[in-house]
Amino acid sequence: MKQVKIFLLFFAGMLLTACGTDNDVKSESIFDTTAPSRTGFDLWLYNNYTKPYNIMFNYRYIDSETDQTYNLIPADEDKAKALAIMVKHVWLDAYAEAVGADFIKKYAPRVYQLIGSPEYNSNGSIVLGVAEGGMKITLFRVNAIDIDHPVIDHVSSFPDTEAVPLDLNYWFFHTMHHEFCHILTQTKNYSTDFQTISAADYRTVDWVNVDDKDAPKYGFPSGYATKEYNEDFAELYSIYVTHTPEAWQGILNASLIVTGSKVKTDAKGNPIFKLDANGNRIPKGYLLDQDGNRLIQMGEDGKLYYAMEYEVETEDTYDYTYYNNLVSKMNLIKDYFKNSWGIDLDKLRDVVLRRSAEVSTLDLRTLK
C-alpha cells in the first residue's frame, strides 16, 4: 500500500512540474500567422475567385495537386492570367448571371489547378480535364493558349481539335461544363431512363477509336460520349450549352442514316423535274430499248423525236433511330436541370454564347 501511495505522489508531482504556472504559457501561436506574400495576380485571384466564390485558383505547379504518374510541366503565368480572366467571364460569371451567385458559390469546385502540358494516356487519348470528388477541376494544355488571338468556336458541330490557335471552347470551356456536370449529377441523381436509351451502343473499351463526326451515327454527340452513360450525359450537356442551336442541329442531322431515295412528286403525283436557269428540263440521256437502240416518241408538235430522260428531283429517306435517341436523351437532361436545379438550359446557353463572343473584346494581359 505504501508503494502505491508513493507512486501516486510522485506522479502528481510530475503533473505539477509539467503543467507549470500560467505565467509560463507562451503568448505566441504554434501556427504561422504571417500573412502570405501575394503578387498582383495572387491579389486579383483572391478578389475575383476566393473572396466571392471561395475558390482556390492554383496556377503554380503543386505536386500534391497533380497525378505523379504523368510527366507534366507548370503553366506559364501570362497564359494562366489570360485563362483566369476568360474562365471568370465565360464560365463563373455565366452561371452567376443565369442561375445566381449563391449557386456557383455552393456547388462550384473549390480548387482549380492549371497544368501547362497535356496529359497523355497509354491508349493515345489526351485528358482535357479532371474533376475529383466534386472538389477540384484540373485543366491541362494551358501553355498552348494564344493570348492575342483567342478562339472560341461555338458554331462548328464538330470543332477542329488540331486547329491553331487552340480552340478554347473545346479545350477549356466545354471541358469545365463537362466536369461541372459530373459534380452536379453526383450531388443529385438523374433519371435511370437515360441509361437505357443507348445501352446497347456504348463502347467501354474502344471509344477512343470513334471519331467525333461518326459518333452521331451511333446516337452520341462525340466519340468520348460513347464510353459510358455518365460521360454521355456530361458530353451532351456541355456541348449543348457551349454551341449554337445551328451547331446542335448539325449534330442531330449527322445522326440520320440514309436508307433510300425517292422521286419528288407534285400534288397530282407527277415527277418534279430539275430545271436549268432558263426553266428548261435538264436532260439525263436518251431512253433505250432492250437492244440499246434509242426510242422514238412523238412530240406535242406531231413530229417524231428521240425519247429523252430528264433529271428529276429526289429526296432521301432516313432512319431516325439515333436522331430520336439524341433528342430523347437531351430532353431528359433538360428536365433534370430544370427540375433538380432550376436551370433552363436554353437560357444558360444564351448567356454562355454571348459571353463567349465578348472574349474578343477583353484585355487578356491586364488584370482589372
Side-chain angles (χ1 to χ4, degrees):
M1 180 64 69
K2 289 181 180 179
Q3 290 177 345
V4 174
K5 289 181 179 179
I6 292 171
F7 175 76
L8 290 174
L9 288 171
F10 176 72
F11 183 67
M14 288 181 64
L15 289 176
L16 289 172
T17 302
C19 294
T21 64
D22 291 342
N23 293 331
D24 294 329
V25 177
K26 294 183 178 180
S27 60
E28 297 87 359
S29 172
I30 62 172
F31 300 103
D32 184 4
T33 59
T34 305
S37 175
R38 290 192 174 99
T39 65
F41 186 25
D42 293 326
L43 290 172
W44 186 91
L45 290 172
Y46 174 78
N47 290 323
N48 288 275
Y49 280 82
T50 308
K51 190 174 181 180
Y53 298 119
N54 194 28
I55 291 173
M56 179 183 294
F57 193 98
N58 292 332
Y59 64 94
R60 297 183 177 91
Y61 189 91
I62 301 175
D63 285 343
S64 60
E65 297 290 349
T66 59
D67 189 338
Q68 300 300 303
T69 61
Y70 295 91
N71 293 319
L72 304 171
I73 63 174
D76 177 83
E77 186 169 330
D78 287 338
K79 305 292 180 73
K81 287 179 182 179
L83 185 57
I85 293 170
M86 290 187 287
V87 166
K88 179 181 184 298
H89 187 81
V90 175
W91 197 82
L92 277 177
D93 290 350
Y95 277 102
E97 178 183 339
V99 191
D102 289 340
F103 172 83
I104 201 69
K105 185 184 301 183
K106 183 174 183 180
Y107 295 107
R110 300 277 73 87
V111 177
Y112 294 5
Q113 178 64 54
L114 303 189
I115 301 296
S117 59
E119 189 174 84
Y120 293 97
N121 289 320
S122 59
N123 61 4
S125 63
I126 297 178
V127 178
L128 300 184
V130 176
E132 300 177 22
M135 292 298 294
K136 183 178 77 172
I137 285 182
T138 302
L139 296 174
F140 302 92
R141 212 177 178 187
V142 174
N143 291 352
I145 293 175
D146 187 333
I147 300 176
D148 298 315
H149 303 91
V151 174
I152 300 180
D153 181 3
H154 52 252
V155 300
S156 299
S157 300
F158 307 101
D160 182 359
T161 60
E162 301 300 324
V164 177
L166 210 64
D167 176 15
L168 304 177
N169 205 34
Y170 175 79
W171 287 101
F172 296 106
F173 304 124
H174 150 259
T175 300
M176 295 188 71
H177 286 287
H178 177 109
E179 300 302 341
F180 188 46
C181 181
H182 282 317
I183 291 173
L184 296 178
T185 56
Q186 289 164 10
T187 304
K188 296 182 181 180
N189 292 326
Y190 56 89
S191 173
T192 55
D193 291 344
F194 183 93
Q195 304 172 20
T196 65
I197 295 175
S198 295
D201 299 305
Y202 290 114
R203 300 172 175 231
T204 306
V205 178
D206 67 336
W207 63 268
V208 71
N209 296 320
V210 181
D211 189 89
D212 288 344
K213 292 182 179 180
D214 295 328
K217 292 182 173 59
Y218 306 104
F220 302 100
S222 68
Y224 187 51
T226 68
K227 185 178 182 181
E228 52 96 19
Y229 58 82
N230 285 315
E231 301 303 342
D232 189 15
F233 191 102
E235 278 290 273
L236 279 163
Y237 168 77
S238 56
I239 289 174
Y240 188 85
V241 299
T242 58
H243 288 80
T244 63
E246 293 76 16
W248 170 246
Q249 186 61 50
I251 292 175
L252 293 178
N253 293 343
S255 71
L256 296 173
I257 298 176
V258 178
T259 57
S261 181
K262 64 180 181 180
V263 177
K264 290 183 178 181
T265 57
D266 59 22
K268 295 181 179 180
N270 299 314
I272 299 175
F273 293 96
K274 292 182 178 180
L275 304 177
D276 61 21
N278 297 318
N280 300 314
R281 294 179 183 179
I282 301 174
K284 185 177 181 180
Y286 291 104
L287 289 174
L288 306 175
D289 62 21
Q290 60 184 7
D291 296 322
N293 300 312
R294 296 178 184 178
L295 293 174
I296 297 175
Q297 67 179 13
M298 183 176 291
E300 294 180 357
D301 58 1
K303 296 181 181 180
L304 296 178
Y305 296 91
Y306 286 118
M308 295 290 299
E309 184 179 10
Y310 296 94
E311 297 280 357
V312 294
E313 296 283 354
T314 61
E315 59 183 349
D316 292 330
T317 55
Y318 301 96
D319 179 349
Y320 277 80
T321 299
Y322 297 116
Y323 184 104
N324 293 334
N325 284 355
L326 280 167
V327 171
S328 296
K329 288 188 290 188
M330 198 64 238
N331 286 339
L332 286 174
I333 292 173
K334 286 185 175 182
D335 289 343
Y336 166 77
F337 276 94
K338 185 68 175 179
N339 298 328
S340 297
W341 301 104
I343 299 176
D344 184 321
L345 289 198
D346 291 324
K347 291 183 179 179
L348 174 61
R349 178 174 62 181
D350 289 343
V351 174
V352 170
L353 293 180
R354 172 173 52 78
R355 287 182 168 274
S356 296
E358 292 168 352
V359 165
S360 61
T361 68
L362 301 179
D363 181 355
L364 301 179
R365 292 187 178 276
T366 305
L367 299 173
K368 299 177 181 179

